[in-house]
Amino acid sequence: MIKAKKSLGQNFLIDKNIINKIVNLVNIENKIILEVGPGTGSLTLSILNHKPKKVYVVEKDNDLVIQLKNNFKDQITIFNEDILKFNENTLSKEKIIVFGNLPYNISTEILIKWIISFNKNCWFDNLILMFQKEVADRIVAKFNTSNYGRLSILSNWKLNIKKICDIKPGSFTPKPKVDSSLLIFSPKNKFYEINSKNLELITRTFFNQRRKMLKKPFNQIFNGNQNILDKLKINPALRPQNLSAETYYLLTKEYEKLLS
């Protein structure tokens, strides 16, 4: 029996009802599948039962890789790699469906990596991912709410996002100390063509002091340019969470004009 490793943020999904719900979210028959962090292979087995064309898995843990090879033989292709260093674009010319019970300690890094990884042509059809509930709440948060912030703005830039359900600790072994949430993402057909580093700079500057008025961070970046405030209809007395995600994309566009 393989023990979960705290250092890798491992919590293995064992709840068959949740596994069935995950696999039935989209049609995966004859599709290319990538599973991140398959663990002991409970979800992998269910995926294979739905007759996909090809299943790739990325697993960093050497012990789990040996178990997966023994259990699944040539039914899956295993990459014993760190997902943060893995190049998904090389897997297939067809669009991929991604499943992931992501390690909670790097889940946002993985999501941001995938958001940045595509421009007009996206390599995936869907991302079906598990997050710590607190993180998922920030991803799906709307403006004018307390959970809304940099992660909400970046996540919604290129992706449509839907929350499926919350999942209790008893669905995993070992039991995590927090609830989890299942989210499904699909790429948007149209999104603002801006540089992710510039969007990151804008949101970091504005949300560094999220309780303060917008005037200070705005002046810091735009030197008090009233024309931009007027054009985007921004009240500098508001606070960062009061601006929609779209306004932050437009602010990034204005910043890029100043750079050019």
Side-chain angles (χ1 to χ4, degrees), residues 80-125:
N80 185 192
E81 294 185 38
D82 181 344
I83 188 61
L84 289 172
K85 296 173 184 170
F86 186 72
N87 184 1
E88 299 83 4
N89 282 285
T90 61
L91 283 179
S92 171
K93 290 181 180 176
E94 290 180 48
K95 296 284 179 82
I96 295 172
I97 295 171
V98 182
F99 292 91
N101 174 21
L102 303 180
Y104 289 162
N105 53 350
I106 55 167
S107 62
T108 55
E109 279 184 79
I110 297 169
L111 178 62
I112 289 166
K113 176 200 170 199
W114 287 339
I115 292 167
I116 294 168
S117 72
F118 73 94
N119 288 314
K120 286 182 181 173
N121 295 316
C122 183
W123 56 272
F124 59 83
D125 263 335

Side-chain angles (χ1 to χ4, degrees), residues 112 115 149-158 196 199 249:
I112 289 166
I115 292 167
R150 292 167 57 196
L151 186 57
S152 328
I153 294 160
L154 188 58
S155 301
N156 283 275
W157 170 29
K158 296 181 182 180
S196 60
L199 178 59
Y249 310 143

